[in-house]
Amino acid sequence: MRLSTIRNAAGHSTVAVRHEGDELVLLPHGDVAALLASGEDWARRATEADGPRVAAAEAWYAPVVPHPNKIVCLGLNYATHIKEMGRQTPVHPTLFAKYDGALVGAYDDILMPAVSDDLDWEAELCAVIGRSTRHVGEKDALDAVAGYTILNDVTIRDWQHRTREFLSGKTFEGTTPVGPALVTSDELPPGASDLDIGCSVDGRTMQESNTSDLLFDVAHIVSYVSTIITLLPGDLIATGTPGGVGAGRDPKVFLRPGQRLVTRIEGLGEMSNRVVRDDPA
Ligand code: ZN
């Protein structure tokens, strides 16, 4: 089952479920997080739902979860990316966060800030939490995951490296596409392992890897974060990016206004986002 949050012309959002075919059935919840928080039988209710429909091709996709309580991100979680960034293999997961103002939909424009020319891509598998979870062991951790989606942790690379903390370069307004749909865990391998992942810029492949290369897998990450804080329905966990980012190339390559970034994960579909200059004037 594929769950999306879509917007209508007035900007209000609603959950849409795609059973089969090219139509989405609208559900009486404002976004995917609200559906996940509405009770343990959310999957059954979404499966059986019938109601107003829209054509999938005409839907305006919001971020799968527009306002998650938490967006937890991993840095340095693929060996190829650790090497290109000149870092040591971490003993513990490298965690950072971003805020919901950074999120955009799967086909929305990415805003390139006026203060930087170093806009870089990071294709990532994103786990969506389905239930309130604290202190879960690795063995049961995947039960907390409702499903998976695609996230591109688009990074303002020079601002990321201004200080030791990554946050400044990771949460610029309107830079992080997430979507187009949460694909429920039952449709994917456990932990969404062994899925091809990558991205391209104007048709040129920039990243090409597989989620089986994650250093810390989804079960480990969920268990680890739940040791720190209660995970809530709709929380997003971005699992890190493989090698091939623009800053790891020689010479470095960054996104330019007008370019199109396409991010794909096997079984989850793809996002396609144009880069536009964010003009503060
Ligand atoms: Zn990242």
Side-chain angles (χ1 to χ4, degrees), residues 74 96 122 124 153 170 240-241:
L74 269 86
F96 62 93
E122 293 196 356
E124 306 200 7
D153 176 25
K170 293 291 193 177
T241 200

PDB file of all heavy atoms in Angstrom, residues 74 96 122 124 153 170 240-241, ligand 1:
ATOM      1  N   LEU A  74      20.964  10.579   9.625  1.00  0.00           N
ATOM      2  CA  LEU A  74      22.277   9.991   9.851  1.00  0.00           C
ATOM      3  C   LEU A  74      23.283  10.562   8.870  1.00  0.00           C
ATOM      4  O   LEU A  74      22.998  10.667   7.679  1.00  0.00           O
ATOM      5  CB  LEU A  74      22.233   8.469   9.683  1.00  0.00           C
ATOM      6  CG  LEU A  74      21.932   7.755  11.000  1.00  0.00           C
ATOM      7  CD1 LEU A  74      20.450   7.695  11.190  1.00  0.00           C
ATOM      8  CD2 LEU A  74      22.579   6.410  11.057  1.00  0.00           C
ATOM      9  N   PHE A  96      22.036  13.867  13.297  1.00  0.00           N
ATOM     10  CA  PHE A  96      21.716  15.285  13.325  1.00  0.00           C
ATOM     11  C   PHE A  96      20.234  15.414  12.997  1.00  0.00           C
ATOM     12  O   PHE A  96      19.550  14.425  12.788  1.00  0.00           O
ATOM     13  CB  PHE A  96      22.600  16.087  12.357  1.00  0.00           C
ATOM     14  CG  PHE A  96      22.468  15.720  10.906  1.00  0.00           C
ATOM     15  CD1 PHE A  96      21.586  16.398  10.088  1.00  0.00           C
ATOM     16  CD2 PHE A  96      23.241  14.695  10.354  1.00  0.00           C
ATOM     17  CE1 PHE A  96      21.469  16.061   8.744  1.00  0.00           C
ATOM     18  CE2 PHE A  96      23.124  14.361   9.011  1.00  0.00           C
ATOM     19  CZ  PHE A  96      22.232  15.047   8.209  1.00  0.00           C
ATOM     20  N   GLU A 122      21.930  14.439  -1.783  1.00  0.00           N
ATOM     21  CA  GLU A 122      22.174  13.264  -0.937  1.00  0.00           C
ATOM     22  C   GLU A 122      20.935  12.365  -0.982  1.00  0.00           C
ATOM     23  O   GLU A 122      20.014  12.511  -0.168  1.00  0.00           O
ATOM     24  CB  GLU A 122      22.464  13.673   0.520  1.00  0.00           C
ATOM     25  CG  GLU A 122      23.775  14.418   0.705  1.00  0.00           C
ATOM     26  CD  GLU A 122      24.240  14.466   2.167  1.00  0.00           C
ATOM     27  OE1 GLU A 122      23.499  13.986   3.051  1.00  0.00           O
ATOM     28  OE2 GLU A 122      25.345  14.980   2.408  1.00  0.00           O
ATOM     29  N   GLU A 124      18.583   9.446  -0.124  1.00  0.00           N
ATOM     30  CA  GLU A 124      18.516   8.672   1.119  1.00  0.00           C
ATOM     31  C   GLU A 124      17.207   7.879   1.243  1.00  0.00           C
ATOM     32  O   GLU A 124      16.133   8.370   0.885  1.00  0.00           O
ATOM     33  CB  GLU A 124      18.637   9.608   2.333  1.00  0.00           C
ATOM     34  CG  GLU A 124      19.891  10.469   2.236  1.00  0.00           C
ATOM     35  CD  GLU A 124      20.371  11.057   3.549  1.00  0.00           C
ATOM     36  OE1 GLU A 124      19.821  10.711   4.599  1.00  0.00           O
ATOM     37  OE2 GLU A 124      21.319  11.865   3.477  1.00  0.00           O
ATOM     38  N   ASP A 153      18.457  14.595   1.061  1.00  0.00           N
ATOM     39  CA  ASP A 153      18.988  15.479   2.110  1.00  0.00           C
ATOM     40  C   ASP A 153      19.862  16.554   1.451  1.00  0.00           C
ATOM     41  O   ASP A 153      21.070  16.623   1.669  1.00  0.00           O
ATOM     42  CB  ASP A 153      19.778  14.620   3.108  1.00  0.00           C
ATOM     43  CG  ASP A 153      20.451  15.429   4.198  1.00  0.00           C
ATOM     44  OD1 ASP A 153      19.968  16.536   4.501  1.00  0.00           O
ATOM     45  OD2 ASP A 153      21.464  14.942   4.746  1.00  0.00           O
ATOM     46  N   LYS A 170      21.951  21.936   6.781  1.00  0.00           N
ATOM     47  CA  LYS A 170      21.029  20.821   6.565  1.00  0.00           C
ATOM     48  C   LYS A 170      19.560  21.192   6.676  1.00  0.00           C
ATOM     49  O   LYS A 170      18.705  20.358   6.393  1.00  0.00           O
ATOM     50  CB  LYS A 170      21.338  19.712   7.596  1.00  0.00           C
ATOM     51  CG  LYS A 170      22.683  19.037   7.394  1.00  0.00           C
ATOM     52  CD  LYS A 170      22.702  18.201   6.135  1.00  0.00           C
ATOM     53  CE  LYS A 170      23.913  17.281   6.076  1.00  0.00           C
ATOM     54  NZ  LYS A 170      23.884  16.425   4.866  1.00  0.00           N
ATOM     55  N   GLY A 240      20.981   8.282   5.721  1.00  0.00           N
ATOM     56  CA  GLY A 240      22.315   8.607   5.217  1.00  0.00           C
ATOM     57  C   GLY A 240      22.437   8.351   3.725  1.00  0.00           C
ATOM     58  O   GLY A 240      21.600   7.679   3.121  1.00  0.00           O
ATOM     59  N   THR A 241      23.486   8.913   3.143  1.00  0.00           N
ATOM     60  CA  THR A 241      23.619   8.871   1.680  1.00  0.00           C
ATOM     61  C   THR A 241      24.867   8.100   1.253  1.00  0.00           C
ATOM     62  O   THR A 241      25.881   8.102   1.961  1.00  0.00           O
ATOM     63  CB  THR A 241      23.664  10.310   1.108  1.00  0.00           C
ATOM     64  OG1 THR A 241      23.322  10.273  -0.284  1.00  0.00           O
ATOM     65  CG2 THR A 241      25.027  10.963   1.267  1.00  0.00           C
TER      66      THR A 241
HETATM   67 ZN    ZN B   1      22.386  13.079   4.475  1.00  0.00          ZN
END
